[in-house]
Every structure is written in structure tokens, then in C-alpha cells.
Amino acid sequence: MRQALYNSHYNLTAGETDAHSLMPATLLVQRIIEIATRHANCLEVGYEQLRTAGIGWVLSRISLEVMRFPRINEDYALNTWIESYNRHFSERAFDMVEPGGAAIAAGRSTWVAIDMNRRTMADLSAFERDAIPCHDRPCPVAHPRRLAPLGAEATSEPIRFGYTDIDFNRHVNTVRYLARVLDHWPLAHHDRYAVRRLDIAFNHELRYGDQATLRIADRPDGCSECEILHADGRRAAAIRIHWQLRRDME
């Protein structure tokens, strides 16, 4: 029987922590991508199986809610399950738990099947539907509000992606979009605030050497809305961050 609920156990090492001896938000996103990949491989709908048909999974959206981040040398576990599936995309849920079993973060994500040659939406109908079992466990994170284009009030700054930003496809790595956005704020901001909720939508890929523009609008409600634009104005990624006082999450 195929495993509908999949989990992995970890320990937060010193080299993985941020300036506050905690898991950074970028590592949480990276771990979520890793466990989704492992589960897909176990279900035999992962990279090796899909590439024979010229298809690949691409992360389209991800939303995270964090109660607290793991501390240095702390053990934690990630659970993932598929909430829904059709011939074009899959919705996958996650939670992160501390050693006692209490949830400390949760997430939902949308993965789209892409024709790797044409870079268009692919059709998964040829794959056995039972290979992608859905779980009846509800996702603890609500669907995000639409990430609308930013207006003239947003600040703008030029950015460029280099060698360490790209993955094996020579496209900008998913996590690097978030890292570049978080680097916008000074250390004093991060000393005061932590990420409470994060919503990311990926629209168009960027590649090595691409010139782009980062636009950010900080809202009075403690939310920052961000977008990364291609040189021609197309949106590569949109990110919404809800900040919370760091002392309230420790």
C-alpha cells in the first residue's frame, strides 16, 4: 500500500541556524521541498519517473504559518501528505512538530506538472492515479489571498542573480527568491521581528545573470508585500510576509 502520510526527522545543526540560533525561514522552505520530493519518489511519481515522459514537478505556490522556529541542536520532524490531485497539479500539506509531537509550523503548497521541453503545463493522465494517494487529514493552513501586483507606492531596487542562485536547471533556485527578499531588511529589523506567515507565488523563471527589480511595500498592519520582476516587467515571484515581534514567538 502506498504511503499517504510521509515523515522525516531532523536535527537543527549549528551551521544551519540564523543570527538568532534558530531555523531560518529559507531552510524551512528548503526542507519542505526536500520532503515533498522524497514522498513523490516513494510514490514513484518523482523526478526519475516523470522525466521519462519529459515531465517535472514545479512548485507554484507555498504558504507557511509558524508558531516558532526550531532552536539550535533541537530535533524536529516534518510530515507531508497530498490534499488533492488532478491531471495538471497537486496540492500538498505539511506540518512541523517538536519532539513532544506538538505542531510548531504548518504549510500548504501547489505543485504543477510541467512539460520540461516546452515549459508549458503537462498532462499526468498517463500515470496511475492510485500512485498519488490523497489523505483525508485537513491542511491546517488556509488558502492565501491573491498576491496582487504592487502599485506606485512600492519601493524598487535592482537585483541580479549569480552562480550560487541557480539550480541544476540553471534557473534561480526557489529558496533564493526568498533569501533575496529577506536580505532587503537590515539586521535590526530581523532582531525585532520574525516571519509569522509567508505566502509565495512563482510566475516566471529567472536565469543566471538576469537583471531584475525587487519591489516592496510595507503595510501598516505589519505585512510586507514584495515582488520580483523581470527586466521586461513580467513578475517572476510574489511574496507576502506577515511579521510578528520575535519575543512573542520564542
Side-chain angles (χ1 to χ4, degrees):
M1 182 176 178
R2 297 184 183 273
Q3 190 175 354
L5 182 66
Y6 185 88
N7 63 75
S8 289
H9 295 262
Y10 305 87
N11 174 268
L12 186 69
T13 66
E16 295 173 324
T17 60
D18 63 9
H20 305 93
S21 298
L22 300 171
M23 170 187 275
T26 48
L27 180 58
L28 177 54
V29 174
Q30 179 179 321
R31 288 284 183 261
I32 283 174
I33 294 171
E34 287 174 2
I35 194 173
T37 301
R38 290 178 185 174
H39 192 200
N41 289 340
C42 288
L43 297 174
E44 299 183 356
V45 288
Y47 172 77
E48 291 296 335
Q49 294 80 21
L50 266 62
R51 75 168 181 167
T52 61
I55 298 173
W57 289 112
V58 173
L59 181 60
S60 174
R61 290 179 176 272
I62 185 168
S63 295
L64 303 174
E65 291 186 353
V66 182
M67 283 67 81
R68 73 168 183 86
F69 288 98
R71 305 177 185 90
I72 188 170
N73 293 327
E74 183 178 2
D75 294 327
Y76 63 96
L78 276 174
N79 302 301
T80 186
W81 63 99
I82 297 168
E83 185 180 44
S84 64
Y85 160 72
N86 63 33
R87 65 192 181 98
H88 293 306
F89 67 87
S90 172
E91 287 199 304
R92 179 179 283 278
F94 307 84
D95 65 17
M96 181 167 65
V97 298
E98 60 187 11
I104 55 177
R108 68 162 55 248
S109 60
T110 303
W111 297 78
V112 178
I114 294 292
D115 183 307
M116 300 305 288
N117 294 318
R118 291 195 281 262
R119 308 305 293 176
T120 56
M121 191 174 290
D123 191 332
L124 290 168
S125 299
F127 288 84
E128 180 188 0
R129 189 171 182 84
D130 289 343
I132 308 183
C134 296
H135 201 287
D136 59 4
R137 183 176 182 177
C139 179
V141 174
H143 286 281
R145 293 183 289 109
R146 178 173 173 266
L147 297 170
L150 299 182
E153 78 285 357
T155 62
S156 298
E157 59 188 77
I159 57 175
R160 179 181 177 276
F161 291 97
Y163 173 72
T164 60
D165 297 313
I166 59 175
D167 59 19
F168 68 97
N169 287 315
R170 301 202 167 195
H171 305 138
V172 175
N173 183 286
T174 303
V175 177
R176 296 303 299 163
Y177 290 104
L178 176 59
R180 192 58 61 92
V181 167
L182 291 174
D183 280 342
H184 166 81
W185 290 276
L187 181 59
H189 174 91
H190 293 287
D191 284 342
R192 182 171 173 79
Y193 298 102
V195 175
R196 175 65 179 84
R197 172 154 177 148
L198 181 65
D199 298 300
I200 311 176
F202 300 99
N203 301 103
H204 295 284
E205 296 165 320
L206 283 163
R207 296 173 179 266
Y208 168 81
D210 280 351
Q211 299 286 344
T213 301
L214 170 61
R215 305 186 72 234
I216 293 181
D218 292 315
R219 306 302 187 191
D221 62 357
C223 168
S224 296
E225 296 187 353
C226 323
E227 61 184 9
I228 296 176
L229 304 179
H230 283 259
D232 62 8
R234 288 178 300 149
R235 191 165 73 173
I239 299 176
R240 180 189 296 122
I241 304 171
H242 292 268
W243 304 98
Q244 185 162 325
L245 287 172
R246 186 170 292 278
R247 65 171 182 264
D248 295 338
M249 295 180 62
E250 296 177 351

